[in-house]
Amino acid sequence: MPDSTNSPQPGNRLEQLKEAYKKRLTLEFARLREIESHLLQDNTRQESLDALHSALHTIAGAAGTFGFHTLGEAAREFEQRVAKQLSQTESLGTLPGGWLNKLQIALDADNSKVKHSLETTQQRGIEGGPTIWLVERDNMLANYAKNQLTSFGFQVHCLSDANELEKCRSHPPDLLLIDHHAIGAADFGADLAVFWKAILSNYDCPVFFTGAEESFNARLQALRAGGRGIL
C-alpha cells in the first residue's frame, strides 16, 4: 500500500501563518489609530502623512498574501490617495472621512472569509481531501513535494517507481503525479511513452508527469503516454 506515514496535519501550516498575520494586523491597526489621532489635530502634517503612507503600504503589500484581499485592496486605495497628497498632485486634507473605519470593515469581512476557509480546510483534513499518488525516485524530493501538497489539504501517498504503482490498482487516486523516469532498473531503455501508456491504461484519473526536462519532445512523450502534461 502507498506510504502515508509522517503526514503533517493538512492546513496546519497555512492556519498558523494566517493566525500570525492576524496578530500582526492588531499591531498595525493600533499604529493606524495613533496616526489618525495626529491627523485629526492636523491633517496636513507631513510627518503624520508619511507615517500613514508607510503603514498603508505595508498592509497593502502583505494582506492579500495571507487571504485578506478586501483589506489589501482598501489599503492600496488609501495609500494611493495619501501618495498623491504627499506629491501635492491633490490638495492636502482630501483623505476620505472615516478611512480607518472603512479599513476595519474590510478587515472584518476578510476575517469572516479566512475563518470559513480555515474551517473548510480543517474539515477537509478530517473527512479526507483529494488523494494524490506521487511516483518519484528521489526520496528527498518526494518528501518535499508531499509536505507542500499536504499543506493544501491533499492526501499524498509516495511510490518509488512503476512497480509499486502496479501493485496498488485496487484503490485508485484522484490524481497521479509521475516522475517519467521512475520505471525501475529492469525496464531501463524502454520507450517511456509505450511503457507508461500500458500501465496507465488501468487508471481513469488525471495524470501529470514530472521532470527537469521541459523540451517539446518531453511534453510530446508525456501526452503520448497518456498524461495531460508535464511539470
Side-chain angles (χ1 to χ4, degrees):
M1 290 298 294
D3 174 28
S4 60
T5 60
N6 300 321
S7 297
Q9 184 66 30
N12 275 0
R13 180 58 178 162
L14 183 61
E15 181 179 357
Q16 291 169 4
L17 290 171
K18 289 185 176 180
E19 286 298 325
Y21 186 69
K22 284 176 65 176
K23 293 180 180 179
R24 173 178 163 181
L25 282 175
T26 300
L27 299 177
E28 294 288 352
F29 269 73
R31 182 187 179 194
L32 289 174
R33 283 191 291 272
E34 181 180 353
I35 295 172
E36 183 189 38
S37 67
H38 291 305
L39 289 173
L40 288 174
Q41 298 173 25
D42 181 2
N43 63 9
T44 66
R45 187 178 175 184
Q46 180 78 23
E47 182 181 352
S48 297
L49 288 173
D50 284 335
L52 177 58
H53 182 266
S54 176
L56 291 172
H57 179 77
T58 299
I59 295 174
T65 304
F66 298 96
F68 296 81
H69 300 288
T70 306
L71 175 62
E73 292 173 1
R76 180 71 68 194
E77 177 187 347
F78 292 143
E79 176 201 0
Q80 292 171 350
R81 294 291 294 272
V82 175
K84 290 179 180 179
Q85 292 185 48
L86 289 171
S87 64
Q88 296 184 349
T89 57
E90 285 189 5
S91 60
L92 294 174
T94 58
L95 192 65
W99 60 269
L100 184 53
N101 184 54
K102 292 178 181 178
L103 288 176
Q104 184 63 58
I105 292 173
L107 174 59
D108 292 341
D110 282 331
N111 272 328
S112 178
K113 293 177 184 177
V114 169
K115 181 180 179 181
H116 180 266
S117 175
L118 291 176
E119 288 175 348
T120 299
T121 299
Q122 292 167 348
Q123 186 64 26
R124 183 172 58 196
I126 294 173
E127 295 177 350
T131 302
I132 296 176
W133 286 6
L134 177 64
V135 183
E136 173 58 59
R137 298 167 296 164
D138 187 324
N139 288 334
M140 183 178 294
L141 180 58
N143 288 329
Y144 175 79
K146 179 178 180 178
N147 288 336
Q148 294 296 312
L149 291 167
T150 301
S151 70
F152 288 97
F154 295 103
Q155 296 186 83
V156 182
H157 304 301
C158 296
L159 306 169
S160 61
D161 57 34
N163 292 327
E164 287 191 32
L165 181 63
E166 284 198 287
K167 297 176 183 178
C168 303
R169 296 177 183 175
S170 58
H171 301 285
D174 297 299
L175 175 69
L176 272 169
L177 290 178
I178 301 174
D179 170 3
H180 65 298
H181 285 300
I183 61 176
D187 299 295
F188 182 77
D191 184 313
L192 292 179
V194 174
F195 176 86
W196 284 115
K197 189 172 184 178
I199 293 177
L200 296 176
S201 63
N202 298 300
Y203 291 89
D204 295 326
C205 65
V207 177
F208 284 88
F209 287 92
T210 65
E213 186 179 354
E214 295 188 68
S215 66
F216 172 78
N217 182 63
R219 296 179 183 280
L220 181 60
Q221 290 295 313
L223 293 175
R224 285 178 173 172
R228 296 192 178 184
I230 187 168
L231 307 174

